[in-house]
Amino acid sequence: MNVLVIGANGQVGQNIVNLLHSNKDHSLKAMVRKQEQADELANRGIKSVVVSLEDSVEVISEAMKGSDAVIFAAGSGGSTGSDKTLLVDLDGAVKTIEAAEKIGVKRYVMISALQAHNRENWHESLLPYYAAKHYADKLLEVSKLDYTIVRPGGLLNEPGRGKVSIAENLGSGSISREDVAQVVVSSLTKENTIRRSFDLISGDDEISKAIDSL
């Protein structure tokens, strides 16, 4: 597949880029916000495009052309206010969904958040973020896209274990960013993940087995 990674400079996004860059089955294009990020990727032989999620659907569509699949790994970040959460995590995500539909890209993998689909389980300190994720996911679910929504728990900067727990509903938990990236990339070509959403935390099942058991 020709895969566009949106949010390629984020912490999970960088792990996804590394996996795709070394995977001979896929061709990678990274979407970043700054030219210096694109220059760094170019030095590694990685194709990129400089586009903001606050740009228009038309601009995002142009960046997406030639792609078979989209991975949404972007986020406004913890240092920004609720305004950026609204513009990036919600409206930015929806723009990419609209862009994919507009130009005929069918495969779309969204990185969401653990229990984003259950309001009663949202973290009190992150309500705007969870609301943004909840409604972006809902709009993806009613789209015409072959979507997969991955809802990881607390993200850790530690080596991946390669073992996870995947289910429609999971309790609190955490997972390494490396393992999230591996699940996302592995899901791209798994038919049983199409039009499916699931929670994801560290667990006891090998990633391939966990995905196959969905």
Side-chain angles (χ1 to χ4, degrees):
M1 286 185 177
N2 294 322
V3 186
L4 176 68
V5 179
I6 298 173
N9 198 61
Q11 294 185 74
V12 175
Q14 289 181 42
N15 280 286
I16 293 170
V17 165
N18 292 338
L19 286 173
L20 289 173
H21 185 45
S22 62
N23 189 322
K24 294 180 181 179
D25 293 332
H26 300 299
S27 177
L28 164 68
K29 181 163 68 172
M31 182 170 139
V32 293
R33 291 186 301 111
K34 298 177 181 179
Q35 185 59 49
E36 52 264 37
Q37 296 166 350
D39 293 341
E40 290 174 8
L41 289 165
N43 290 335
R44 295 174 56 195
I46 297 172
K47 183 179 179 180
S48 66
V49 60
V50 180
V51 173
S52 168
L53 287 170
E54 294 182 54
D55 289 336
S56 67
V57 172
E58 288 70 26
V59 170
I60 295 169
S61 298
E62 192 63 33
M64 205 176 281
K65 283 182 178 177
S67 301
D68 303 308
V70 171
I71 295 173
F72 188 91
S76 57
S79 62
T80 59
S82 297
D83 56 339
K84 289 297 183 184
T85 301
L86 180 66
L87 291 172
V88 174
D89 297 272
L90 177 52
D91 193 46
V94 172
K95 286 178 188 175
T96 67
I97 294 166
E98 292 175 0
E101 288 188 313
K102 180 178 180 179
I103 66 170
V105 177
K106 292 294 291 181
R107 192 70 175 105
Y108 188 111
V109 182
M110 171 77 82
I111 300 177
S112 183
L114 188 74
Q115 288 291 295
H117 60 309
N118 289 328
R119 289 188 186 90
E120 61 271 21
N121 293 332
W122 294 356
H123 292 287
E124 287 292 327
S125 61
L126 296 170
L127 291 178
Y129 172 76
Y130 269 87
K133 287 297 188 185
H134 178 82
Y135 287 103
D137 292 352
K138 275 189 169 294
L139 285 164
L140 180 56
E141 288 172 339
V142 299
S143 74
K144 298 176 182 177
L145 303 179
D146 290 337
Y147 69 82
T148 301
I149 299 172
V150 181
R151 300 188 298 258
L155 298 172
L156 306 173
N157 284 325
E158 59 183 40
R161 295 176 57 245
K163 293 190 175 182
V164 300
S165 181
I166 289 173
E168 176 65 25
N169 288 288
L170 292 171
S172 61
S174 58
I175 185 168
S176 76
R177 288 178 167 87
E178 283 187 7
D179 282 339
V180 174
Q182 186 65 65
V183 168
V184 167
V185 172
S186 297
S187 294
L188 272 176
T189 53
K190 293 286 189 177
E191 292 286 334
N192 67 314
T193 69
I194 291 176
R195 301 194 73 82
R196 297 290 301 275
S197 306
F198 54 85
D199 286 346
L200 170 68
I201 59 175
S202 185
D204 299 321
D205 294 327
E206 297 287 343
I207 288 173
S208 60
K209 180 182 177 182
I211 294 173
D212 287 342
S213 69
L214 272 170

